[in-house]
Amino acid sequence: QKEVEQDPGPLSVPEGAIVSLNCTYSDRGSQSFFWYRQYSGKSPELIMFIYSNGDKEDGRFTAQLNKASQYVSLLIRDSQPSDSATYLCAPRGGTSYGKLTFGQGTILTVHP
Amino acid sequence: DTAVSQTPKYLVTQMGNDKSIKCEQNLGHDTMYWYKQDSKKFLKIMFSYNNKELIINETVPNRFSPKSPDKAHLNLHINSLELGDSAVYFCASSQAQDPYNEQFFGPGTRLTVL
């Protein structure tokens, strides 16, 4: 089993749609979870992080964490063409204290 | 601008050559990292340094040798380059190595080995 699993997509949605990006992880000791966005040809940039069970909202983005199910998701509301990118989930902590372990990423395209 | 910077941005070289990539951060961070992103876009950590001390070494071939002259710099030297080394290499930094600190990434160095 991979440490972090994401559906690679690609996922294509119309502008304005609600998008849910999902991630499962294997290390039960993971303490925090980061969502990074990577535009084509660019470096990853942090969108959100979450470390408590439940939801965390920031504008159009909501991160959801369920540690019992080892599942974290990112919900994007009112998606925009500028949201088109690869979204990377990265648990941190647990047995790999200092490092981020990235999933394969989900490629998202939002078409006008 | 405060940031993580890398040089060069592009590197094209022949198999068997030795090359270096440099990274600098002026964010005052203690911890720096090297990641490799392969052609399938899978981003994987290679090394991490905390205050010039190596703390993570992810079973990378010993042709790869990181060097941290001070906590603001982390360089990557690669000996005897192979075709499989072609990838984008990202440097990153964070305030500390604990699980709650965001990592800031440099712009990447695209290495092509011919």
Side-chain angles (χ1 to χ4, degrees), chain B residues 3 8 15 17 23 25 31-32 38-42 47 49 52 54 61 72 75 81 83 91 102-104 106 114:
Chain B
M15 264 197 325
N17 284 349
C23 178
Q25 56 92 6
T31 309
M32 297 185 72
D38 60 25
S39 57
K40 294 184 178 176
K41 306 299 184 188
F42 196 50
F47 301 103
Y49 272 73
K52 303 192 296 176
L54 180 67
N75 304 322
L81 278 155
L83 294 176
C91 177
E102 175 185 357
Q103 291 186 18
F104 293 82
L114 304 174

Side-chain angles (χ1 to χ4, degrees), chain A residues 23-36:
Chain A
C23 173
T24 57
Y25 59 94
S26 61
D27 186 347
R28 283 198 168 274
S30 296
Q31 294 156 272
S32 56
F33 303 85
F34 293 80
W35 280 101
Y36 279 79

